[in-house]
Amino acid sequence: MTSIGRRMLFVAAFSAVAAQFAVQNGGVRVPLHLGIVSIRSVSLPVVVFTAVGMGMLLVFLAGLRADLKTRRMLRRYRDALGGASEEP
């Protein structure tokens, strides 16, 4: 199986599990306390998927900062070594 096939299989399996979770828990309502604001009735799948999405965004932003820092350092090292212009 190719790499793209494995990725597609993973995405399909993850989507099926997420859809099953949403169907099974669609009627469940939970209170949501956000410090100052409290919401009495929010659907559980909305809370879970929003939390997952916000977590993914946070990890992306943390990784982006580290990636930009690494690229900046590599650029400095390349320039210090004489400017070898090999682009990936």
Side-chain angles (χ1 to χ4, degrees):
M1 183 176 281
T2 65
S3 175
I4 293 174
R6 286 187 195 129
R7 288 181 189 164
M8 293 296 287
L9 184 61
F10 176 75
V11 168
F14 182 79
S15 298
V17 169
Q20 184 65 25
F21 174 79
V23 168
Q24 293 285 331
N25 296 299
V28 176
R29 299 283 186 188
V30 295
L32 185 62
H33 304 287
L34 300 172
I36 298 172
V37 178
S38 292
I39 304 172
R40 287 191 303 171
S41 181
V42 181
S43 178
L44 182 62
V46 171
V47 172
V48 171
F49 293 142
T50 302
V52 168
M54 290 177 69
M56 290 171 57
L57 179 63
L58 183 66
V59 168
F60 172 74
L61 292 175
L64 183 63
R65 181 175 180 243
D67 183 54
L68 292 174
K69 181 179 176 182
T70 303
R71 286 176 188 252
R72 193 176 328 120
M73 288 173 61
L74 288 173
R75 198 173 302 122
R76 284 184 199 153
Y77 290 144
R78 184 187 65 205
D79 293 342
L81 291 175
S85 62
E86 291 184 25
E87 293 294 325

